[in-house]
Amino acid sequence: MTAFFDVLLGGVFHASVLFLVAAGLQLVFGVQRIVNLACGSFYALGAFFGITAVNWSIARGAPPWTFLPVLVIAGIVLGAIGPAIELLLRTVYKRDEAFQLLLTFALVLMFQDVLRFFWGANPQQLGNLSMSYGKVAIGAVSFPTYNVLVMAASVAIAVGLGLFLSRSRYGRILRATAENREMAEALGADVRWIYASVFTLGTMLGTVGGALVVPTSAASLDMPVELVVEAFAVVVIGGLGSMRGALVGALIVGLTRAAAISFYAELEVLAIYVMVIAVLVARPAGLFGKPVE
Amino acid sequence: MSGAVPQRRGLLLAFVAVAIVVLAAFPHIAATYYVTLVLPAFAYAIALLGFNLLFGTTGLLSFGHALFVAIGAYCAAVLSSRVGVKSLELILLASSVAAVVAALPVALLSVRYVRIFFGILTLAFGMLFHSFLFKFYDLTGGDTGIRVLRPTILGMDFKELDKTAFLIGPFYYACLLLAVVLGVVMWRVVHSPFGLHLAAIRENPIKAEYLGVRVRRFRLLAFLISAFYCAIGGVILAVNTGQADPELAYWTHSGELVFMTVLGGFASFFGPVVGAFTFVFLKSELMGLTQYWRFCLGATLAVIVIVFPRGLMGLAKDASRKAAKR
């Protein structure tokens, strides 16, 4: 029974972080039609920058418990690189998808060395800070409070994002642009601004995700390329461009991975990809995607 | 590429002939280090000729073709160090059969999709194989992979040569021969009615279907041929490094395949070959210059994508057109 709860909680924790990155990927794909391979790089950047920010704030005398808000702020601040990268991507909006994908691959390569330049080649950790929040115990099962907070934060972001996209004026314009760019533009939507802001928001989701995960696991240079693989699995299972899909996909991938790791470690990534292929064969557009061609 | 301009085709043939002569003489005129660089360039050139049949000619972008390169490499490894088959010819044969057999289910599923979905699905298959290689330590040697022993060529084992001498001697010429033969075969394929069908599918799949082209079957065939070429490239890579490791199947390696193809120019027959040689030499030079070579490669790719989407061959064509006008 304990093993079951470990898998459940571990899986949901992983899923909540994956959801943030996948949501960013979905948002950018939904509006700009670009599959961003660099989403993993944003995630890793958030993780490394989060460590630096927390160390900096503690060295300045901030009490240790402030590390969670510091991480969130660090992630949001890093979103500032979004507009600059969007400017680069702007050159290929009208090109074939192959070029768009390749340009984001170029970003992956470049960010790999940006990380190496600022933080070196060795993995970095944030020590034991996450345990300073203590543990939550339900019966025989105990679980770090920090992980619960991250799950709550992820749920809050999911709900907020959902309300924002469905209810706010900006959200409506954004969805209209995703549906039909020319029409939205003809009706007076400022598409350039929308693209820049959507990409920034997508970047921010990735960097905040990375910052939130770093107290529980080390930040390393393998992070970006490894995460992309899982984020891709999430969006393919959920359906490209769908927010609900990102949520369900993240839960499926997170739980599958957690279950595989505790029962048969060899199957970790294999299980995820068997899932991906099964979904694609049975439902080509993913669980919540629009039908393709 | 059209045959309607015999003058330009003559020029092209002359270029190719010169390139082959230079490559044949290369081990005798260049430093050993550069000669050893030509081997991976041969490998990638062959792999990319196949890859570009799918990408440039048929219009399907795969982000998982490193899978087939890895199959070639692991076949060479398993055959040479576990089964004891040393003959290069047998290894090439077995690898290409294995790659085509493995490609069949992958292709059957993947060619139902186009564009980004095709790319993601092929990436998924590539990563599936990577995690198999990585995690099943007993079978595949895990992250260290399997050693590849020196093969015999046409029954000769060249025992008197040391490792480097073997690689830049007999093996170099075997690779050159392979590259030329497979290049000629690919040229025939691309310019055959079959190749024209593929190009028609790229230009307008719906129209092609109306005209009676069996779109999926042709995409499938192009996929199988590309897998075959990639496996041959994989064998050469593995013999050259003496090792088959899981990184060969990783998605970033697939990304490098696409990178090379676009660098050389996917719209041109020889683009991938030019891309393979340029990439291998560029990467090695950059690695010697700075530890931040990935950044430089990424920046190069970004510039190519944004400013020169037709790659080096596109640049060369523009230059020759300008010269002709003058």
Side-chain angles (χ1 to χ4, degrees), chain A residues 45 48 107-120 221, chain B residues 292 294-295:
Chain A
L45 205 60
F48 278 106
L107 287 174
V108 173
L109 292 173
M110 288 196 274
F111 270 115
Q112 203 74 357
D113 273 348
V114 170
L115 294 175
R116 191 189 302 269
F117 180 77
F118 284 108
W119 288 282
L221 288 180
Chain B
Y292 301 111
R294 283 185 200 84
F295 186 89

Side-chain angles (χ1 to χ4, degrees), chain A residues 14 26 28 49 60 63 66 76 126 147 151 171 231:
Chain A
H14 190 62
Q26 298 286 45
V28 171
F49 189 67
R60 291 286 172 293
T66 54
I76 292 174
L126 202 49
N147 294 24
M151 289 185 224

